[in-house]
């Protein structure tokens, strides 16, 4: 799975995913866009949805929650805990989609922000899942489209900040 | 790896471990022994070490930290975040040994408390690791001995509470 910019790898038989994307902005800016709620809503929001962030504790042993609502009042949320956050370097956090039929399908994400020449950043997201089934369900959920779309919006946000 | 009571499974090539253990006590009691600091220190402490629990938020999106110290002042800690805790049923949390040469080797644990006939409990702990190397390092660290020893102490604690 690859478009010109975002590379998503889900090797057969392994309950993990790697997503690699480069941004034309410094690690400071890319990290801030991931940890400041007022920036997050500008690129993680969904088409025709309002995004709210009722919890965002950007600290080690913190927590987060996002809610997306459409104009008919339908909403769905995501939540997790932040094991570690290190400015411009790394975020380690759990992730769960609250809209699944049963709870407990939690994954663990490692976001690594790597500085490249010319003030660019390579963001590598490594996600480990409870099972191969959970991993495959995520891949088949249309994650690829969502990730590419969000990162394209993040490009626009970052270009206005350079 | 198996003694008479604790079954630890680490299938080749998979970055996960399963630990299954039955206790002669109700799910309520086994869960409480995992979530009440004054009980935890009675069975998770190490030989010749003092165990302290500076953080233990037994709630969804909470955090925890354990420190073990010997009489010479040497100490080592473990910490993590609690994604979900459901009384007598389930705990989902991250885990990190703070004494490793580098940070970031975080795993995700799913503890499942299952009631059995005659007020017994089967505890299944499913741990997923960032990599096969992390999983193997944990297995080779002497985890098996530590788990068996702690669970035997937990047996004693629970037998005093029935």
């Amino acid at each position: 799975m690859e478009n010109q910019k975002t590379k998503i790898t889900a090797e057969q038989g392994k309950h993990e995913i790697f997503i690699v994307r480069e941004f034309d902005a410094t690690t400071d800016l890319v990290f801030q866009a991931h940890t400041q709620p007022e920036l997050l809503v500008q690129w993680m929001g969904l088409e025709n949805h309002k995004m709210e962030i009722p919890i965002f504790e950007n600290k080690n042993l913190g927590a987060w929650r996002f809610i997306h609502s459409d104009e008919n009042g339908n909403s769905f949320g995501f939540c997790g805990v932040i094991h570690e956050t290190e400015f411009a370097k790394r975020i380690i956090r759990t992730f769960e989609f609250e809209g699944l039929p049963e709870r407990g399908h939690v994954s663990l994400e490692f976001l690594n922000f790597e500085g490249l020449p010319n003030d660019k950043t390579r963001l590598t997201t490594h996600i480990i899942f409870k099972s191969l089934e959970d991993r495959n369900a995520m891949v088949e959920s249309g994650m690829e489209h969502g990730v590419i779309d969000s990162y394209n919006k993040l490009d626009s946000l970052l270009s206005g900040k350079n």
Side-chain angles (χ1 to χ4, degrees), chain A residues 4 6-7 45-46 107 115 118 126 150:
Chain A
Q4 63 267 55
T6 303
K7 185 177 176 194
L46 304 171
S107 55
N118 301 315
H126 177 200
S150 292

Side-chain angles (χ1 to χ4, degrees), chain A residues 117-135:
Chain A
N118 301 315
D119 284 343
K120 294 180 191 292
T121 295
R122 179 181 297 130
L123 171 62
T124 302
T125 303
H126 177 200
I127 312 173
I128 58 173
F129 294 85
K130 193 182 176 195
S131 66
L132 193 54
E133 292 71 27
D134 278 11
R135 196 281 305 258

Side-chain angles (χ1 to χ4, degrees), chain A residues 87-141:
Chain A
F87 183 77
K89 289 214 170 154
R90 181 160 66 186
I91 300 168
I92 303 175
R93 65 185 180 198
T94 64
F95 173 96
E96 182 172 19
F97 172 41
E98 298 172 355
L100 291 179
E102 63 170 20
R103 299 298 301 268
H105 295 273
V106 181
S107 55
L108 183 61
E109 302 184 338
F110 300 80
L111 280 69
N112 190 57
F113 302 80
E114 179 191 356
L116 300 178
N118 301 315
D119 284 343
K120 294 180 191 292
T121 295
R122 179 181 297 130
L123 171 62
T124 302
T125 303
H126 177 200
I127 312 173
I128 58 173
F129 294 85
K130 193 182 176 195
S131 66
L132 193 54
E133 292 71 27
D134 278 11
R135 196 281 305 258
N136 291 343
M138 175 61 86
V139 171
E140 288 155 14
S141 73

Side-chain angles (χ1 to χ4, degrees), chain A residues 22-107:
Chain A
E22 290 182 16
F23 296 95
D24 190 11
T26 63
T27 52
D28 285 18
L29 284 178
V30 179
F31 184 86
Q32 284 164 359
H34 280 78
T35 51
Q36 295 184 1
E38 67 277 17
L39 299 179
L40 274 167
V41 296
Q42 293 181 54
W43 67 274
M44 285 200 75
L46 304 171
E47 201 82 23
N48 301 319
H49 282 71
K50 180 180 160 199
M51 180 175 175
E52 293 170 291
I53 303 186
I55 305 171
F56 202 87
E57 301 168 353
N58 180 35
K59 62 176 188 179
N60 292 348
L61 310 185
W64 65 272
R65 185 161 184 246
F66 301 154
I67 300 174
H68 303 273
S69 307
D70 69 16
E71 57 190 6
N72 299 317
N74 303 310
S75 68
F76 55 96
F78 300 89
C79 71
V81 268
I82 298 168
H83 180 96
E84 182 191 334
T85 183
E86 187 180 351
F87 183 77
K89 289 214 170 154
R90 181 160 66 186
I91 300 168
I92 303 175
R93 65 185 180 198
T94 64
F95 173 96
E96 182 172 19
F97 172 41
E98 298 172 355
L100 291 179
E102 63 170 20
R103 299 298 301 268
H105 295 273
V106 181
S107 55

